[in-house]
């Protein structure tokens, strides 16, 4: 690619930040976000978590008719009320529920659902179902909260960057192992990377690349130092799922306001022999999230942090012949944290009114939950802009 072409792309992207009519809205939203200084952690349960066997409608006989073998009997559940009970594995969520720090949003999905992991996750990542966007909803959220590039503003705990955090303005910090988080290079090149500075130059392409290199070096150093200093007595369970790394960065005072983590590799794709595997996955997830929130309390950060928890789709209403479930549609989402008003939200999908494929019909567009994170928790007043449409927040925050 030529230097002139690269320069034009950079200048075009920069110009795109100052769309007429939007700058005032962005500036007001950014000012409000900075004043409140709240943190959002988005947690992804990849693979399509089975919502019906997570929050079980045990009072509905149709559930057991649809799932005569894998339906969880009432005496095996962690009962929430006279209608619903948690999967046995959700001891961590049960504690949060009893403390009023867990909200369940029922019937979440979108129109014309895709049963492809890749496609459906792309819809959730960009918040543009049956459409598309170059940037993720968390990335657009970051651009609204901080219209100018801010180092270490978005952190993604993973081996590769999620589409959800792709941003026009910000470069997300993506890492898996904090101790090994640094730019790789041959031995002969190491000194050059370590000594790079932003030179005084009229070449915008060179200046941009040098800024990226300096930012990468400083970010990796900040993350490694945060992890090396972090010690906690809190038990995150057998599989911590990246959340101790989030806690370490928060404890170290990194400026990150948006974190993205989760259960990877389509772990929740439970087509075969689901019951025991699903219970274990839920145990690991709930224990880690519960441990993380206890750690936030220990660190004096509980008032600043809330979690949004989702999966790209639910499972089919009926069990399959392999004692599992196949790709479905509507699902539950969760909010967790000290500021959450615990309880049920939304309308559960009707087990007696399935679509032509035997799937649950969604009752809540998932973007209403996203709007709750944006305007309800972060207090931006910019959900319409970030989500490119009007989606009223679910009232899970005061």
């Amino acid at each position: 690619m030529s230097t002139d072409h690269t320069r034009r792309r950079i200048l075009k992207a920069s110009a795109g930040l100052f769309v007429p009519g939007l700058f005032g809205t962005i500036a007001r939203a950014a000012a409000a976000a900075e004043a409140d200084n709240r943190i959002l952690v988005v947690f992804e349960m990849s693979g399509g978590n089975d919502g019906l066997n997570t929050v079980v409608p045990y009072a509905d006989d149709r559930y057991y008719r649809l799932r005569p073998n894998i339906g969880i009997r009432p005496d095996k559940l962690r009962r929430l009320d006279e209608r619903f009970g948690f999967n046995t594995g959700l001891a961590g969520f049960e504690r949060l529920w009893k403390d009023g720090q867990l909200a369940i949003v029922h019937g979440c999905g979108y129109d014309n659902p895709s049963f492809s992991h890749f496609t459906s996750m792309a819809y959730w990542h960009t918040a543009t179902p049956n459409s598309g966007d170059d940037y993720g909803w968390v990335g657009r959220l970051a651009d609204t909260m901080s219209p100018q590039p801010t180092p270490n503003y978005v952190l993604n705990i993973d081996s590769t960057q999620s589409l959800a955090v792709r941003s026009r303005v910000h470069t997300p910090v993506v890492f898996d192992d904090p101790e090994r988080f640094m730019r790789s290079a041959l031995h002969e090149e190491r000194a050059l990377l370590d000594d790079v500075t932003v030179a005084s130059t009229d070449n915008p392409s060179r200046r941009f690349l040098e800024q990226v290199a300096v930012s990468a070096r400083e970010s990796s150093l900040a993350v490694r130092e945060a992890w090396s200093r972090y010690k906690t007595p809190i038990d995150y369970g057998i599989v911590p799922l990246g959340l101790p790394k989030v806690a370490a960065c928060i404890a170290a005072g990194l400026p990150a306001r948006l974190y993205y983590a989760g259960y990877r590799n389509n772990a929740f794709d439970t087509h075969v022999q689901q019951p025991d595997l699903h219970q274990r996955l839920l145990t690991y997830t709930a224990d880690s999230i519960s441990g993380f929130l206890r750690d936030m309390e220990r660190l004096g950060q509980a008032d600043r942090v809330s979690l949004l928890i989702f999966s790209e789709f639910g499972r089919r209403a009926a069990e399959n012949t392999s004692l599992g479930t196949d790709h479905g549609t509507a699902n539950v989402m969760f909010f967790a944290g000290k500021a959450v008003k615990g309880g049920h939200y939304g309308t559960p999908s009707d087990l007696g009114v399935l679509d032509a494929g035997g799937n649950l019909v969604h009752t809540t567009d998932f973007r209403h939950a996203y709007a709750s994170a944006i305007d309800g928790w972060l207090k931006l007043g910019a959900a319409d802009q970030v989500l490119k449409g009007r989606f009223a927040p679910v009232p899970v925050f005061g």
Side-chain angles (χ1 to χ4, degrees):
M1 184 179 295
S2 70
T3 300
D4 287 343
H5 183 66
T6 302
R7 181 186 300 114
R8 285 195 297 271
R9 286 186 62 194
I10 293 170
L11 293 176
K12 182 180 179 181
S14 299
L17 299 180
F18 300 94
V19 179
L22 287 181
F23 183 73
T25 300
I26 292 173
R28 287 191 295 273
E34 288 304 318
D36 219 358
N37 204 33
R38 296 183 177 189
I39 291 171
L40 175 67
V41 181
V42 180
F43 189 91
E44 174 182 302
M45 302 166 71
S46 73
N49 176 50
D50 182 8
L52 279 178
N53 272 24
T54 300
V55 182
V56 179
Y58 72 89
D60 191 335
D61 290 340
R62 294 171 298 182
Y63 164 76
Y64 294 103
R65 290 198 293 271
L66 289 164
R67 299 182 169 200
N69 296 296
I70 71 168
I72 306 174
R73 298 297 159 181
D75 61 331
K76 301 294 185 183
L77 293 170
R78 299 178 180 276
R79 294 199 188 193
L80 306 180
D81 48 43
E82 70 281 358
R83 296 181 61 196
F84 295 98
F86 274 150
N87 186 293
T88 311
L90 291 172
F93 273 15
E94 183 182 38
R95 288 191 292 271
L96 293 173
W97 177 267
K98 289 180 177 179
D99 290 340
Q101 296 186 20
L102 186 74
I104 304 168
V105 186
H106 292 274
C108 297
Y110 56 91
D111 293 334
N112 303 313
S114 171
F115 300 101
S116 159
H117 292 293
F118 178 82
T119 302
S120 190
M121 192 60 88
Y123 292 165
W124 284 75
H125 283 171
T126 59
T128 55
N130 301 295
S131 180
D133 197 280
D134 290 337
Y135 302 102
W137 79 274
V138 177
R140 298 198 302 272
L141 174 57
D143 294 347
T144 304
M145 294 171 67
S146 178
Q148 299 301 320
T150 302
N152 304 331
Y153 200 77
V154 183
L155 266 64
N156 183 182
I157 314 300
D158 206 336
S159 56
T160 58
Q161 180 179 302
S162 170
L163 172 60
V165 302
R166 187 178 181 192
S167 159
R168 180 190 297 274
V169 177
H170 299 273
T171 301
V173 177
V174 184
F175 69 93
D176 194 4
D177 183 350
E179 294 178 346
R180 302 178 63 184
F181 180 42
M182 63 181 66
R183 297 190 71 185
S184 58
L186 297 174
H187 176 72
E188 294 81 0
E189 300 169 339
R190 185 76 258 166
L192 180 62
L193 286 179
D194 291 341
D195 293 337
V196 66
T197 59
V198 180
S200 177
T201 175
D202 293 330
N203 186 323
S205 301
R206 178 180 173 184
R207 186 166 57 251
F208 172 77
L209 293 174
E210 289 173 342
Q211 287 171 342
V212 169
V214 170
S215 177
R217 182 186 64 203
E218 293 176 350
S219 296
S220 63
L221 177 60
V223 168
R224 292 199 308 273
E225 289 184 348
W227 185 246
S228 68
R229 295 174 182 174
Y230 171 72
K231 300 291 185 294
T232 181
I234 301 296
D235 182 7
Y236 279 74
I238 298 173
V239 184
L241 301 172
L243 289 177
K245 301 166 191 175
V246 174
C249 292
I250 294 173
L254 266 67
R257 301 287 305 285
L258 301 168
Y259 289 87
Y260 203 91
Y263 221 123
R264 312 172 197 169
N265 303 319
N266 284 355
F268 284 88
D269 198 17
T270 51
H271 288 279
V272 178
Q273 298 292 330
Q274 173 178 306
D276 289 343
L277 171 60
H278 189 230
Q279 180 178 321
R280 287 198 302 274
L281 293 170
L282 291 177
T283 297
Y284 302 152
T285 300
D287 286 354
S288 182
I289 290 171
S290 175
F292 171 75
L293 289 174
R294 292 198 307 275
D295 217 1
M296 292 300 98
E297 192 73 48
R298 177 186 70 88
L299 293 166
Q301 299 290 331
D303 291 327
R304 294 183 61 213
V305 181
S306 287
L307 289 97
L308 166 63
I309 303 149
F310 81 99
S311 192
E312 74 266 34
F313 46 61
R315 314 297 292 188
R316 194 153 296 178
E319 65 185 43
N320 63 28
T321 57
S322 300
L323 297 181
T325 51
D326 297 322
H327 298 179
T329 52
N331 206 351
V332 290
M333 297 174 71
F334 301 95
F335 284 94
K338 189 174 181 180
V340 168
K341 295 191 296 182
H344 296 284
Y345 295 86
T347 303
S349 297
D350 190 338
L351 295 181
V353 184
L354 305 178
D355 69 13
N359 290 299
L360 301 172
V361 178
H362 83 278
T363 59
T364 303
D365 190 298
F366 71 87
R367 288 168 289 186
H368 288 286
Y370 285 3
S372 304
I374 297 166
D375 286 352
W377 171 239
L378 295 173
K379 304 293 185 184
L380 278 182
D384 293 7
Q385 175 188 323
V386 174
L387 301 177
K388 302 186 174 183
R390 176 60 184 159
F391 301 95
V394 181
V396 297
F397 296 101

